[in-house]
Amino acid sequence: MKLVIDLTNKCNLKCKHCGNANELINDKDIDFIPILQNFPFKISKVDLMGGEPLLYYKTDYLLQYLNENKIPFSIITNGQFDESFAKKILLDSLTSISISIDGLREENDFIRGIGSFEKVRFFIGYLLKNRNEKETQIGINFVVNRLNFRKIHLIIKELLVLEIDYINLNQIFELGNAIGNKEILIDDDEYLDALELICKNFKEEVCTQKISFELTNPILVEYLNIKYHLNLQSEFDYCDAARQTLYIDNQGNIYPCRNYKCKLQFDNLLADMNKSSKYLLELECGKMIEPYCNDCRFVDECYTCPLSYNKKYVLCQEIEKRLANYYDSYKEKFVKWSKEVFHIELEDKIVIVNPSTEANYILDKNVKIIFDNLKKEVSLYELSKKCGMDYYEVVDMIISLRDKGVFEIYGTEKNNL
């Protein structure tokens, strides 16, 4: 069982986009160790959050307890602390520590307060200096907003100089303080611009997940893979609330998750979890699908939270427009076989062999007509007309096989051959 714990509602910053702002009250924090000691299930991991978790009044004792009992834990912090804090949290059971940064000095200090960037830069330095053989992952949580999205590639380049292990990108949402600071909000179109800048400039880091963002939208994954020749895998999410995960607030109240404020009784936890899980599963099964999504080929691979009305399809519409525009740019380009492959035409299929990669591709007889029309120079648009096939279907297949080394796509001038 994984536990997500808001240790405290106290915070030493007033960030303009804080989604927890409405929850930041000065209630007295409690001792979590008795809860963990008496927890009825084995604890697999603990995510420590806040407020600012390092302001929790018993941080030292709690972290030592987790470490002594070999319970893996992670921390999300704003990093406004000195070297003494870095030393005491770098314990063997600390799997990762994510530090919140939203740009370089100008952007970050506007969002988080003057001087915050300098403090967090030193804190990251303390962590890197004191950690043991990179066993603890040290990274950055980065919120994409109107101040940073146009030059995000330049900002990320500078942040990578800090030699952190990862940068996790998140889209800003109209929650908490962001409701009153609408000037820093961005729309889906601008968020996609930021992701494309990242993929264009940091292909290796994106492919290795050193730079990461949410990949639960399969259309987004497909688009970025096609346009930037990436190998990202779609991450199918599901609701694990009250089954594999529980949320505990700073008063020790237990809930299925942060969004589902159905309080669970500690002395009746199993029965309450059963009831909450059933409700969430029924909600998930009966959730209405947007009409736009009904005919989507990814409808069974796309997850939305059962508790919220998710407008993910709006982002999908923008992605499909961009993909169509990208495919349109290939209409006057030509295609030819790669010099490294040979193909064997059989009665009902085509076998493509690439000796260099030791890969074989078997193509269905239904696309054999395409290859029959590739025996002379022809543009992709002309190819689709000759075959009597949808242009987007043809170019999608050609680009996919281009990325596997089967075809080469070139321009109209001879020196591009």
Side-chain angles (χ1 to χ4, degrees), residues 71-192:
I71 300 174
F73 67 95
S74 67
I75 298 175
I76 297 178
T77 175
N78 59 36
Q80 304 297 298
F81 301 94
D82 58 24
E83 188 169 8
S84 64
F85 274 85
K87 288 179 177 179
K88 69 184 178 182
I89 63 178
L90 285 169
L91 302 171
D92 291 340
S93 289
L94 178 63
T95 59
S96 67
I97 178 166
S98 299
I99 301 98
S100 300
I101 298 180
D102 299 313
L104 301 180
R105 180 177 285 103
E106 178 185 358
E107 301 86 13
N108 189 80
D109 283 7
F110 180 83
I111 294 288
R112 297 182 170 272
I114 295 174
S116 59
F117 181 77
E118 199 66 16
K119 287 183 180 179
V120 78
R121 188 173 65 84
F122 279 115
F123 186 67
I124 290 174
Y126 300 146
L127 291 170
L128 293 170
K129 180 177 72 174
N130 289 289
R131 74 168 168 182
N132 181 25
E133 298 180 356
K134 293 192 174 181
E135 290 183 3
T136 298
Q137 293 286 293
I138 298 171
I140 289 172
N141 270 352
F142 188 100
V143 176
V144 183
N145 58 59
R146 183 163 296 281
L147 296 178
N148 58 37
F149 85 96
R150 287 190 178 89
K151 52 183 177 179
I152 192 169
H153 57 302
L154 303 176
I155 295 172
I156 295 296
K157 181 180 179 180
E158 293 299 318
L159 293 179
L160 288 173
V161 173
L162 299 176
E163 298 184 350
I164 38 82
D165 298 309
Y166 62 87
I167 297 176
N168 184 37
L169 304 174
N170 300 285
Q171 183 178 2
I172 187 171
F173 291 107
E174 194 172 351
L175 300 169
N177 283 347
I179 295 174
N181 293 287
K182 296 184 185 298
E183 71 277 7
I184 62 174
L185 296 175
I186 57 174
D187 57 29
D188 289 337
D189 187 45
E190 292 164 329
Y191 178 62
L192 283 174

Side-chain angles (χ1 to χ4, degrees), residues 286-344:
K287 190 173 179 65
M288 295 293 292
I289 298 177
E290 285 294 327
Y292 175 84
C293 304
N294 282 328
D295 298 325
C296 178
R297 62 191 181 282
F298 295 118
V299 66
D300 294 326
E301 303 172 34
C302 196
Y303 170 79
T304 58
C305 173
L307 290 170
S308 62
Y309 174 72
N310 194 313
K311 291 187 177 180
K312 185 183 287 187
Y313 73 94
V314 178
L315 179 65
C316 296
Q317 289 175 318
E318 177 59 35
I319 294 170
E320 289 195 334
K321 289 179 187 175
R322 292 187 180 212
L323 185 58
N325 290 336
Y326 178 68
Y327 280 170
D328 285 344
S329 70
Y330 281 86
K331 281 188 174 180
E332 302 306 318
K333 294 187 180 294
F334 294 80
V335 60
K336 65 180 178 180
W337 291 99
S338 168
K339 296 176 181 178
E340 294 188 354
V341 306
F342 62 89
H343 59 285
I344 305 165

Side-chain angles (χ1 to χ4, degrees), residues 3 25 37 52 104 108 139 165 185 206 210 282 324 354 359 411 417:
L3 300 180
I25 53 179
Q37 287 175 328
E52 169 49 54
L104 301 180
N108 189 80
D165 298 309
L185 296 175
V206 170
K210 182 162 188 174
E282 288 176 342
N354 189 330
L417 291 175

